């Protein structure tokens, strides 16, 4: 057994060390170094903050709306179910990353100035067709994710300042979010991840306490679920909630010891449950079926200093989430144009701008993020987050030799390969039928029903009419 352990340590030992010279210098410095403290993170705690902060942003405000569509019991059960499923597939992604990296390390491949991404893992383990699939799904998912963040920023700020229309706010926030081109990699999100999680924690508990103090509205009703379309639209939003996997590999690569990532996503999800379940439950308890016409929970709570603070904090958090979702796109673009290994921050920032500008324009052209959100969830998240990792894991370890030489053995709570295969097969079948099939049908039906309310380049989508525009 000791010999086997030595071999295993030899495989992963080569990437136990920090992955570039800057990290080696920072690791040897005093922990009280300001730059090290605020800027250069690669610990287990940094990864946990990144995962937890990245999981919940605007969706915190739309989960009460999902509860009104599907009822409280279904909402709570599906949150826990998809949270556990998401944690399992994040674990699979981490296993495949370590497998890919250990194989490459044996071939003496250096990743000193190279960030490994999910599509490269798929390419190395399963070939170019899987690379193309991974790249297409991830990039499309991240593109829509960043567009949604920009639209959500404009929608939220409008609750505290309606002197400017939402389109103008989108222009302003697009310019602000463009500054993320200067953040080199996920190493440098240490302070942002920490602040981001603090912001969502405040907002979640503000929603919970403010709704409880407000009490139930007069004649409150809790009829959900009433229609299958609404039920599966709500379920798709919850499926989307635990879908931060598009950046999982990049977060892992930013760690000094990536093999420690295994259970971080699960621990992050457990914390996120303490934010999403109480807030969605209490807001739905207070406002009931009124939420069916108010997809953003802020719109039902009375204006106050506390609400304005929550709106501002969510805006800052959405800027951080924009950076999280856009950074993998920056990396892909850098690799396409051939400047990924440069150390010049200014050169990389200049090359990254062509990624931000189309996102900015898309947010201005399509300002209706609610229906798009559920469509993205069913058509993209179902594959990116659940189906592709489970299938990739099954195919990577289909041969006896691959299982025997695996860099990571099955987890202690599921020690047989057969059990792992059974869980993966269940995830693929369940998510394909319920998430992609029924969720896709519901979200597209919802999209078509609302399509006549959409307006390209809308100046102020779903804004209440101003006094001057009222005729009575």
């Amino acid at each position: 057994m000791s010999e086997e352990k030595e071999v295993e340590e030899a495989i992963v030992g080569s990437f136990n060390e920090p992955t570039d010279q800057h990290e080696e210098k920072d690791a040897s410095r005093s922990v009280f170094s300001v730059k090290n403290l605020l800027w250069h993170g690669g610990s287990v705690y940094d990864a946990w903050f990144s995962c937890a902060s990245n999981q919940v942003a605007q969706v915190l405000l739309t989960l009460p709306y999902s509860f009104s569509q599907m009822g409280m019991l279904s909402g709570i059960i599906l949150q826990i179910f998809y949270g556990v499923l998401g944690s399992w597939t994040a674990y699979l992604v981490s296993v495949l990353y370590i497998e890919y990296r250990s194989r490459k390390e044996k071939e003496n491949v250096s990743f000193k100035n190279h960030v490994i991404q999910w599509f490269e893992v798929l390419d190395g383990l399963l070939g170019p067709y899987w690379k193309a699939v991974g790249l297409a799904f991830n990039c499309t998912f991240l593109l829509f994710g960043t567009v949604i963040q920009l639209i959500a920023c404009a929608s939220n700020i409008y609750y505290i300042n309606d002197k400017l229309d939402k389109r103008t706010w989108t222009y302003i926030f697009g310019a602000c979010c463009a500054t993320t081109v200067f953040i080199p990699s996920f190493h440098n999100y240490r302070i942002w991840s920490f602040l981001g999680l603090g912001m969502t924690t405040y907002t979640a508990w503000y929603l919970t306490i403010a709704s409880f103090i407000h009490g139930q509205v007069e004649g409150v009703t809790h009829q959900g679920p009433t229609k299958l379309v609404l039920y599966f639209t709500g379920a798709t939003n919850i499926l989307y909630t635990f879908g931060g996997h598009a950046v999982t590999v990049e977060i892992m690569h930013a760690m000094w010891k990536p093999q420690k990532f295994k259970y971080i996503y699960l621990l992050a999800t457990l914390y996120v449950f303490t934010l999403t379940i109480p807030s969605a439950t209490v807001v739905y308890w207070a406002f009931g079926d009124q939420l069916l016409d108010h997809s953003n929970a802020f719109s039902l709570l009375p204006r106050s200093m506390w609400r304005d603070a929550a709106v501002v904090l969510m805006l800052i958090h959405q800027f951080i989430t924009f950076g999280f979702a856009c950074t993998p796109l920056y990396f892909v673009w850098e690799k396409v144009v051939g400047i990924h290994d440069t150390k010049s921050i200014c050169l990389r920032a200049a090359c990254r701008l062509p990624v931000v500008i189309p996102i900015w324009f898309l947010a201005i052209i399509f300002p209706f993020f609610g229906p798009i959100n559920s469509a993205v969830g069913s058509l993209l998240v179902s594959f990116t987050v659940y189906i592709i990792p489970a299938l990739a894991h099954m195919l990577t370890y289909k041969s006896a030799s691959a299982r025997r030489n695996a860099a990571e053995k099955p987890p202690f709570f599921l020690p047989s390969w057969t059990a792992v295969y059974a869980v993966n097969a269940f995830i693929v079948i369940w998510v394909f039928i319920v998430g992609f099939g029924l969720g896709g049908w519901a979200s597209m039906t919802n999209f078509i029903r609302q399509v006549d309310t959409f307006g390209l380049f809308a100046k102020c989508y779903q804004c209440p009419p101003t006094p001057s525009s009222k005729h009575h």
Side-chain angles (χ1 to χ4, degrees), residues 188-263:
N188 314 113
Y189 273 97
R190 165 174 275 185
I191 190 67
W192 292 114
S193 303
F194 178 75
L195 291 174
L197 193 58
M199 291 162 189
T200 48
T201 302
Y202 171 87
T203 304
W205 286 108
Y206 158 73
L207 290 172
T208 307
I209 295 164
S211 299
F212 187 75
I213 292 171
H214 182 278
Q216 290 186 307
V217 293
E218 196 175 337
V220 68
T221 55
H222 300 89
Q223 292 183 347
T226 53
K227 295 177 183 172
L228 276 177
V229 170
L230 290 178
Y231 186 89
F232 286 109
T233 304
T236 303
N237 190 41
I238 293 175
L239 179 94
Y240 190 21
T241 304
F242 300 98
H245 298 42
V247 296
T248 300
V249 170
E250 288 84 357
I251 290 172
M252 275 189 78
H253 190 83
M255 291 178 69
W256 294 317
K257 297 185 178 180
Q259 68 274 26
K260 288 189 174 181
F261 183 86
K262 288 184 217 172
Y263 306 116

Coordinates of all heavy atoms in Angstrom, one line a residue, residues 188-263:
N188 N -7.0 36.5 -8.7 CA -7.1 37.9 -8.3 C -8.5 38.3 -7.9 O -8.8 39.5 -7.8 CB -6.6 38.8 -9.5 CG -5.3 38.2 -10.1 OD1 -5.2 37.8 -11.2 ND2 -4.2 38.2 -9.3
Y189 N -9.3 37.3 -7.7 CA -10.7 37.6 -7.2 C -10.9 37.4 -5.7 O -12.0 37.4 -5.2 CB -11.7 36.7 -8.0 CG -12.1 37.3 -9.3 CD1 -11.6 36.9 -10.5 CD2 -13.1 38.3 -9.4 CE1 -12.0 37.4 -11.7 CE2 -13.6 38.8 -10.6 CZ -13.0 38.4 -11.7 OH -13.4 38.9 -12.9
R190 N -9.7 37.3 -5.0 CA -9.8 37.0 -3.6 C -10.8 38.0 -2.8 O -11.8 37.6 -2.2 CB -8.4 37.0 -2.9 CG -8.5 37.1 -1.4 CD -7.1 36.9 -0.8 NE -6.7 35.5 -0.7 CZ -5.6 35.1 -0.1 NH1 -4.8 36.0 0.4 NH2 -5.4 33.8 0.0
I191 N -10.5 39.3 -2.9 CA -11.2 40.3 -2.2 C -12.7 40.4 -2.7 O -13.6 40.5 -2.0 CB -10.5 41.6 -2.1 CG1 -11.2 42.6 -1.1 CG2 -10.4 42.3 -3.5 CD1 -11.1 42.2 0.3
W192 N -12.8 40.2 -4.1 CA -14.1 40.3 -4.7 C -15.0 39.2 -4.3 O -16.2 39.4 -4.0 CB -13.9 40.4 -6.2 CG -13.3 41.6 -6.7 CD1 -12.1 41.7 -7.4 CD2 -13.8 42.9 -6.6 NE1 -11.8 43.0 -7.7 CE2 -12.8 43.8 -7.2 CE3 -14.9 43.5 -6.1 CZ2 -13.0 45.2 -7.3 CZ3 -15.1 44.9 -6.2 CH2 -14.1 45.7 -6.8
S193 N -14.5 38.0 -4.2 CA -15.3 36.8 -3.8 C -15.8 37.0 -2.4 O -16.9 36.7 -2.1 CB -14.4 35.5 -3.9 OG -13.9 35.3 -5.2
F194 N -14.9 37.4 -1.5 CA -15.2 37.6 -0.1 C -16.3 38.7 0.0 O -17.3 38.5 0.7 CB -14.0 38.1 0.6 CG -14.2 38.4 2.1 CD1 -14.4 37.3 3.0 CD2 -14.3 39.7 2.6 CE1 -14.6 37.6 4.3 CE2 -14.5 39.9 3.9 CZ -14.7 38.9 4.8
L195 N -16.2 39.8 -0.7 CA -17.2 40.9 -0.6 C -18.5 40.4 -1.2 O -19.6 40.7 -0.7 CB -16.7 42.1 -1.3 CG -15.5 42.9 -0.7 CD1 -15.0 44.0 -1.6 CD2 -15.9 43.4 0.7
G196 N -18.4 39.7 -2.4 CA -19.6 39.3 -3.1 C -20.4 38.4 -2.2 O -21.7 38.5 -2.2
L197 N -19.8 37.5 -1.5 CA -20.6 36.6 -0.6 C -21.3 37.3 0.5 O -22.4 37.1 0.9 CB -19.7 35.4 -0.1 CG -20.5 34.3 0.6 CD1 -21.4 33.7 -0.4 CD2 -19.5 33.2 1.1
G198 N -20.5 38.3 1.0 CA -21.1 39.2 2.1 C -22.3 39.9 1.6 O -23.3 40.1 2.3
M199 N -22.3 40.4 0.3 CA -23.4 41.1 -0.3 C -24.6 40.2 -0.5 O -25.7 40.7 -0.2 CB -23.0 41.7 -1.6 CG -21.9 42.8 -1.5 SD -21.1 43.1 -3.0 CE -19.8 44.2 -2.4
T200 N -24.4 39.0 -1.0 CA -25.6 38.2 -1.2 C -26.2 37.7 0.2 O -27.4 37.5 0.3 CB -25.3 36.9 -2.0 OG1 -24.1 36.3 -1.5 CG2 -25.1 37.3 -3.5
T201 N -25.3 37.5 1.2 CA -25.7 37.1 2.5 C -26.6 38.2 3.1 O -27.7 38.0 3.6 CB -24.5 36.9 3.4 OG1 -23.7 35.8 2.9 CG2 -25.0 36.5 4.8
Y202 N -26.2 39.5 3.0 CA -27.0 40.6 3.4 C -28.4 40.7 2.7 O -29.4 40.8 3.4 CB -26.3 42.0 3.2 CG -27.2 43.2 3.5 CD1 -27.3 43.7 4.8 CD2 -27.9 43.7 2.5 CE1 -28.1 44.8 5.1 CE2 -28.8 44.8 2.7 CZ -28.9 45.3 4.0 OH -29.7 46.4 4.3
T203 N -28.3 40.5 1.4 CA -29.6 40.7 0.6 C -30.5 39.5 1.0 O -31.7 39.8 1.1 CB -29.2 40.6 -0.9 OG1 -28.3 41.6 -1.2 CG2 -30.5 40.8 -1.8
A204 N -30.0 38.3 1.1 CA -30.9 37.2 1.4 C -31.6 37.4 2.8 O -32.8 37.2 2.9 CB -30.1 35.9 1.5
W205 N -30.8 37.8 3.8 CA -31.4 38.0 5.1 C -32.3 39.3 5.2 O -33.2 39.3 5.9 CB -30.3 38.0 6.2 CG -29.8 36.6 6.4 CD1 -28.6 36.1 6.0 CD2 -30.6 35.5 6.9 NE1 -28.6 34.7 6.3 CE2 -29.8 34.3 6.9 CE3 -31.9 35.4 7.5 CZ2 -30.2 33.1 7.3 CZ3 -32.3 34.2 7.9 CH2 -31.5 33.0 7.9
Y206 N -31.9 40.3 4.3 CA -32.9 41.4 4.2 C -34.2 41.0 3.7 O -35.3 41.3 4.2 CB -32.3 42.5 3.3 CG -33.4 43.4 2.7 CD1 -34.0 44.4 3.6 CD2 -33.8 43.3 1.4 CE1 -35.0 45.1 3.1 CE2 -34.9 44.0 1.0 CZ -35.5 45.0 1.8 OH -36.5 45.7 1.3
L207 N -34.2 40.2 2.6 CA -35.5 39.7 2.0 C -36.3 38.9 3.1 O -37.5 39.0 3.2 CB -35.2 38.8 0.8 CG -34.7 39.5 -0.4 CD1 -34.3 38.4 -1.5 CD2 -35.7 40.4 -1.0
T208 N -35.5 38.0 3.8 CA -36.2 37.2 4.8 C -36.8 38.0 6.0 O -38.0 37.9 6.3 CB -35.2 36.2 5.4 OG1 -34.5 35.5 4.4 CG2 -35.8 35.2 6.4
I209 N -36.0 38.9 6.5 CA -36.5 39.7 7.7 C -37.5 40.7 7.3 O -38.6 40.9 8.0 CB -35.3 40.4 8.4 CG1 -34.4 39.3 9.0 CG2 -35.7 41.3 9.5 CD1 -33.0 39.8 9.4
A210 N -37.3 41.4 6.2 CA -38.2 42.5 5.7 C -39.6 41.8 5.4 O -40.6 42.4 5.7 CB -37.7 43.2 4.5
S211 N -39.6 40.7 4.8 CA -40.9 40.0 4.4 C -41.6 39.5 5.7 O -42.8 39.6 5.8 CB -40.6 38.8 3.5 OG -40.0 39.2 2.3
F212 N -40.8 39.0 6.7 CA -41.4 38.6 7.9 C -42.0 39.7 8.7 O -43.1 39.6 9.2 CB -40.3 37.9 8.8 CG -40.9 37.2 10.0 CD1 -41.6 36.0 9.9 CD2 -40.7 37.8 11.3 CE1 -42.1 35.4 11.1 CE2 -41.2 37.3 12.4 CZ -41.9 36.0 12.3
I213 N -41.3 40.9 8.7 CA -41.8 42.1 9.4 C -43.0 42.6 8.7 O -44.0 43.0 9.3 CB -40.7 43.1 9.6 CG1 -39.6 42.6 10.5 CG2 -41.3 44.5 10.0 CD1 -38.4 43.5 10.6
H214 N -43.0 42.6 7.4 CA -44.1 43.1 6.6 C -45.4 42.3 6.8 O -46.5 42.8 6.9 CB -43.7 43.0 5.1 CG -44.8 43.5 4.1 ND1 -45.8 42.8 3.7 CD2 -44.9 44.7 3.5 CE1 -46.6 43.5 2.9 NE2 -46.1 44.7 2.8
G215 N -45.2 41.0 7.0 CA -46.3 40.1 7.3 C -47.0 39.7 6.0 O -46.7 40.2 4.9
Q216 N -48.0 38.9 6.1 CA -48.8 38.4 4.9 C -49.7 39.6 4.4 O -50.3 40.2 5.2 CB -49.6 37.2 5.2 CG -48.7 35.9 5.4 CD -49.6 34.7 5.6 OE1 -50.5 34.6 6.4 NE2 -49.3 33.7 4.8
V217 N -49.7 39.7 3.1 CA -50.6 40.7 2.5 C -52.0 40.3 2.7 O -52.3 39.1 2.8 CB -50.3 41.0 1.0 CG1 -48.9 41.6 0.8 CG2 -50.4 39.7 0.2
E218 N -52.9 41.3 2.7 CA -54.3 41.0 2.9 C -54.9 40.0 1.8 O -54.6 40.3 0.6 CB -55.1 42.3 2.9 CG -56.5 42.1 3.5 CD -57.3 43.4 3.6 OE1 -56.6 44.5 3.6 OE2 -58.5 43.4 3.6
G219 N -55.5 39.0 2.2 CA -56.1 38.0 1.2 C -55.1 37.2 0.5 O -55.3 36.8 -0.6
V220 N -53.9 37.0 1.1 CA -52.9 36.2 0.5 C -53.3 34.8 0.1 O -54.1 34.2 0.8 CB -51.6 36.2 1.4 CG1 -51.9 35.3 2.6 CG2 -50.4 35.6 0.6
T221 N -52.9 34.4 -1.1 CA -53.2 33.0 -1.5 C -51.9 32.3 -2.0 O -51.0 33.0 -2.5 CB -54.2 33.0 -2.7 OG1 -53.7 33.8 -3.8 CG2 -55.6 33.5 -2.3
H222 N -51.9 31.0 -1.8 CA -50.7 30.2 -2.2 C -51.3 29.0 -3.0 O -51.4 27.9 -2.5 CB -50.0 29.7 -1.0 CG -49.4 30.8 -0.1 ND1 -50.1 31.3 0.9 CD2 -48.2 31.4 -0.1 CE1 -49.4 32.3 1.5 NE2 -48.2 32.3 0.9
Q223 N -51.6 29.3 -4.3 CA -52.3 28.3 -5.1 C -51.3 27.3 -5.8 O -51.7 26.3 -6.2 CB -53.2 28.9 -6.1 CG -54.4 29.6 -5.5 CD -55.3 30.2 -6.5 OE1 -55.0 30.3 -7.7 NE2 -56.5 30.6 -6.1
G224 N -50.1 27.8 -6.0 CA -49.1 27.0 -6.8 C -48.9 25.6 -6.3 O -49.0 25.3 -5.1
P225 N -48.7 24.6 -7.2 CA -48.7 24.8 -8.7 C -50.1 24.7 -9.3 O -50.9 23.9 -8.9 CB -47.8 23.6 -9.1 CG -48.0 22.6 -8.1 CD -48.3 23.2 -6.8
T226 N -50.3 25.5 -10.3 CA -51.6 25.5 -11.0 C -51.5 25.0 -12.4 O -52.4 24.4 -13.0 CB -52.2 26.9 -11.0 OG1 -51.3 27.8 -11.6 CG2 -52.6 27.3 -9.6
K227 N -50.3 25.3 -13.1 CA -50.1 24.8 -14.5 C -48.8 24.2 -14.6 O -47.8 24.6 -14.0 CB -50.2 26.1 -15.4 CG -51.5 26.8 -15.4 CD -51.5 28.0 -16.3 CE -52.8 28.8 -16.3 NZ -52.7 30.1 -17.0
L228 N -48.8 23.1 -15.5 CA -47.5 22.4 -15.8 C -46.4 23.3 -16.3 O -45.3 23.2 -16.0 CB -47.8 21.3 -16.7 CG -48.3 19.9 -16.1 CD1 -48.5 18.9 -17.2 CD2 -47.3 19.4 -15.1
V229 N -46.8 24.2 -17.2 CA -45.9 25.2 -17.8 C -45.2 26.0 -16.8 O -43.9 26.1 -16.8 CB -46.6 26.1 -18.9 CG1 -45.6 27.2 -19.3 CG2 -47.0 25.3 -20.1
L230 N -46.0 26.5 -15.8 CA -45.4 27.3 -14.8 C -44.5 26.5 -13.9 O -43.4 26.9 -13.4 CB -46.5 28.0 -13.9 CG -47.3 29.1 -14.6 CD1 -48.3 29.7 -13.7 CD2 -46.4 30.3 -15.1
Y231 N -45.0 25.3 -13.6 CA -44.2 24.4 -12.7 C -42.8 24.1 -13.2 O -41.8 24.3 -12.5 CB -45.0 23.1 -12.5 CG -44.3 22.2 -11.4 CD1 -44.7 22.3 -10.1 CD2 -43.4 21.2 -11.8 CE1 -44.1 21.5 -9.1 CE2 -42.8 20.4 -10.8 CZ -43.2 20.5 -9.5 OH -42.6 19.7 -8.5
F232 N -42.7 23.7 -14.5 CA -41.4 23.4 -15.1 C -40.6 24.6 -15.4 O -39.4 24.5 -15.4 CB -41.6 22.4 -16.3 CG -42.0 21.1 -15.9 CD1 -43.3 20.6 -16.1 CD2 -41.1 20.2 -15.2 CE1 -43.6 19.3 -15.7 CE2 -41.4 18.9 -14.9 CZ -42.7 18.5 -15.1
T233 N -41.2 25.7 -15.6 CA -40.4 27.0 -15.7 C -39.7 27.3 -14.4 O -38.6 27.7 -14.4 CB -41.3 28.2 -16.1 OG1 -42.1 27.8 -17.3 CG2 -40.5 29.4 -16.4
G234 N -40.5 27.2 -13.3 CA -39.9 27.4 -12.0 C -38.8 26.4 -11.7 O -37.7 26.7 -11.1
A235 N -39.0 25.1 -12.0 CA -38.0 24.1 -11.8 C -36.8 24.3 -12.6 O -35.6 24.1 -12.1 CB -38.6 22.7 -12.2
T236 N -36.9 24.9 -13.8 CA -35.7 25.2 -14.6 C -34.9 26.3 -14.0 O -33.7 26.3 -14.0 CB -36.2 25.6 -16.0 OG1 -37.0 24.6 -16.6 CG2 -35.0 25.9 -16.9
N237 N -35.6 27.3 -13.3 CA -34.8 28.4 -12.7 C -34.0 27.8 -11.5 O -32.9 28.3 -11.3 CB -35.8 29.4 -12.2 CG -35.1 30.7 -11.7 OD1 -34.2 31.2 -12.3 ND2 -35.6 31.2 -10.6
I238 N -34.6 26.8 -10.8 CA -33.8 26.2 -9.7 C -32.7 25.4 -10.3 O -31.6 25.4 -9.7 CB -34.8 25.4 -8.8 CG1 -35.7 26.3 -8.1 CG2 -34.0 24.5 -7.8 CD1 -36.8 25.6 -7.3
L239 N -32.9 24.7 -11.4 CA -31.8 23.9 -12.1 C -30.7 24.9 -12.4 O -29.5 24.5 -12.2 CB -32.4 23.4 -13.4 CG -31.5 22.6 -14.3 CD1 -31.6 21.1 -13.9 CD2 -31.8 22.7 -15.7
Y240 N -31.0 26.1 -12.8 CA -30.0 27.1 -13.2 C -29.3 27.7 -12.0 O -28.1 28.0 -12.0 CB -30.8 28.3 -13.9 CG -30.0 29.3 -14.5 CD1 -28.6 29.1 -14.9 CD2 -30.5 30.6 -14.8 CE1 -27.9 30.1 -15.6 CE2 -29.8 31.6 -15.5 CZ -28.5 31.3 -15.8 OH -27.7 32.3 -16.5
T241 N -29.9 27.7 -10.8 CA -29.4 28.2 -9.6 C -28.0 27.6 -9.2 O -27.1 28.2 -8.8 CB -30.3 28.1 -8.4 OG1 -31.6 28.7 -8.7 CG2 -29.8 28.7 -7.1
F242 N -28.0 26.3 -9.4 CA -26.8 25.5 -8.9 C -25.9 25.2 -10.1 O -25.3 24.1 -10.2 CB -27.2 24.3 -8.1 CG -28.0 24.7 -6.9 CD1 -29.4 24.6 -6.9 CD2 -27.4 25.2 -5.8 CE1 -30.1 25.0 -5.8 CE2 -28.1 25.6 -4.7 CZ -29.5 25.5 -4.7
G243 N -25.8 26.1 -11.1 CA -25.1 25.8 -12.3 C -23.9 26.7 -12.5 O -23.8 27.4 -13.5
G244 N -23.0 26.8 -11.5 CA -21.8 27.7 -11.7 C -20.6 26.9 -12.3 O -19.5 27.3 -12.2
H245 N -20.9 25.7 -12.9 CA -19.8 24.8 -13.3 C -19.0 25.4 -14.5 O -17.9 24.9 -14.8 CB -20.4 23.5 -13.7 CG -21.0 22.8 -12.6 ND1 -21.9 23.4 -11.7 CD2 -21.0 21.4 -12.2 CE1 -22.3 22.5 -10.9 NE2 -21.8 21.3 -11.2
A246 N -19.5 26.3 -15.2 CA -18.8 26.8 -16.4 C -17.5 27.5 -16.0 O -16.6 27.6 -16.9 CB -19.7 27.8 -17.1
V247 N -17.3 27.8 -14.7 CA -16.0 28.4 -14.3 C -15.3 27.5 -13.3 O -14.3 27.9 -12.7 CB -16.2 29.8 -13.7 CG1 -16.8 30.8 -14.7 CG2 -17.2 29.7 -12.5
T248 N -15.8 26.3 -13.0 CA -15.2 25.4 -12.0 C -13.8 25.1 -12.3 O -12.9 25.1 -11.4 CB -16.1 24.1 -11.9 OG1 -17.4 24.4 -11.6 CG2 -15.5 23.2 -10.9
V249 N -13.4 24.7 -13.5 CA -12.1 24.3 -13.9 C -11.1 25.5 -13.7 O -10.0 25.4 -13.1 CB -12.0 23.8 -15.3 CG1 -10.5 23.6 -15.7 CG2 -12.7 22.4 -15.4
E250 N -11.6 26.7 -14.1 CA -10.7 27.9 -13.9 C -10.5 28.2 -12.4 O -9.4 28.6 -12.0 CB -11.4 29.1 -14.6 CG -11.3 29.1 -16.1 CD -12.4 28.2 -16.7 OE1 -13.3 27.6 -16.0 OE2 -12.5 28.2 -18.0
I251 N -11.5 28.0 -11.6 CA -11.4 28.2 -10.1 C -10.4 27.2 -9.6 O -9.5 27.5 -8.7 CB -12.7 28.2 -9.4 CG1 -13.6 29.4 -9.8 CG2 -12.6 28.1 -7.9 CD1 -15.0 29.3 -9.3
M252 N -10.5 25.9 -10.0 CA -9.6 24.9 -9.5 C -8.2 25.2 -9.9 O -7.2 25.0 -9.1 CB -10.0 23.6 -10.2 CG -11.0 22.8 -9.5 SD -11.1 21.1 -10.2 CE -9.7 20.4 -9.5
H253 N -8.0 25.6 -11.2 CA -6.6 25.9 -11.7 C -6.0 27.0 -10.9 O -4.7 27.1 -10.8 CB -6.7 26.2 -13.2 CG -5.3 26.3 -13.8 ND1 -4.7 25.1 -14.3 CD2 -4.5 27.3 -14.0 CE1 -3.5 25.5 -14.8 NE2 -3.4 26.8 -14.6
A254 N -6.8 27.9 -10.4 CA -6.2 29.1 -9.6 C -5.8 28.6 -8.2 O -5.2 29.4 -7.4 CB -7.3 30.2 -9.5
M255 N -6.1 27.4 -7.8 CA -5.7 26.9 -6.5 C -4.2 26.4 -6.5 O -3.8 25.9 -7.5 CB -6.6 25.7 -6.1 CG -8.0 26.1 -5.8 SD -9.0 24.7 -5.4 CE -8.4 24.3 -3.7
W256 N -3.6 26.6 -5.4 CA -2.2 26.0 -5.2 C -2.2 24.5 -5.2 O -1.3 23.9 -5.6 CB -1.6 26.6 -4.0 CG -1.4 28.1 -4.1 CD1 -0.9 28.8 -5.1 CD2 -1.7 29.1 -3.1 NE1 -0.9 30.1 -4.9 CE2 -1.3 30.4 -3.6 CE3 -2.1 29.0 -1.8 CZ2 -1.5 31.5 -2.9 CZ3 -2.3 30.2 -1.0 CH2 -2.0 31.4 -1.6
K257 N -3.3 23.9 -4.6 CA -3.4 22.5 -4.5 C -4.8 22.1 -5.0 O -5.7 21.9 -4.3 CB -3.2 22.0 -3.1 CG -1.8 22.3 -2.6 CD -1.5 21.7 -1.2 CE -0.1 22.0 -0.7 NZ 0.2 21.4 0.6
P258 N -4.9 22.0 -6.4 CA -6.3 21.7 -7.0 C -7.0 20.5 -6.5 O -8.2 20.4 -6.5 CB -6.0 21.7 -8.5 CG -4.6 22.2 -8.7 CD -3.9 22.0 -7.4
Q259 N -6.2 19.4 -6.1 CA -6.8 18.2 -5.7 C -7.6 18.3 -4.4 O -8.4 17.5 -4.1 CB -5.8 17.0 -5.6 CG -4.8 17.2 -4.5 CD -3.6 18.0 -4.9 OE1 -3.7 18.8 -5.8 NE2 -2.5 17.7 -4.2
K260 N -7.5 19.5 -3.7 CA -8.2 19.7 -2.5 C -9.6 20.3 -2.8 O -10.4 20.5 -1.9 CB -7.5 20.7 -1.6 CG -6.3 20.1 -0.9 CD -5.7 21.0 0.1 CE -4.6 20.4 0.9 NZ -4.1 21.3 1.9
F261 N -9.9 20.5 -4.1 CA -11.2 21.1 -4.5 C -12.4 20.2 -4.3 O -13.5 20.6 -4.1 CB -11.2 21.5 -6.0 CG -12.4 22.2 -6.4 CD1 -12.5 23.6 -6.3 CD2 -13.5 21.5 -7.0 CE1 -13.7 24.2 -6.7 CE2 -14.6 22.1 -7.5 CZ -14.7 23.5 -7.3
K262 N -12.2 18.8 -4.2 CA -13.2 17.8 -4.3 C -14.6 18.2 -3.7 O -15.6 18.1 -4.4 CB -12.7 16.5 -3.6 CG -11.7 15.8 -4.4 CD -11.4 14.5 -3.6 CE -9.9 14.2 -3.7 NZ -9.6 13.0 -2.9
Y263 N -14.5 18.6 -2.4 CA -15.8 18.8 -1.7 C -16.1 20.2 -1.5 O -17.1 20.6 -0.8 CB -15.8 18.0 -0.4 CG -15.5 16.5 -0.6 CD1 -14.3 16.0 0.0 CD2 -16.3 15.7 -1.3 CE1 -14.0 14.7 -0.2 CE2 -15.9 14.4 -1.6 CZ -14.8 13.8 -1.0 OH -14.5 12.5 -1.2

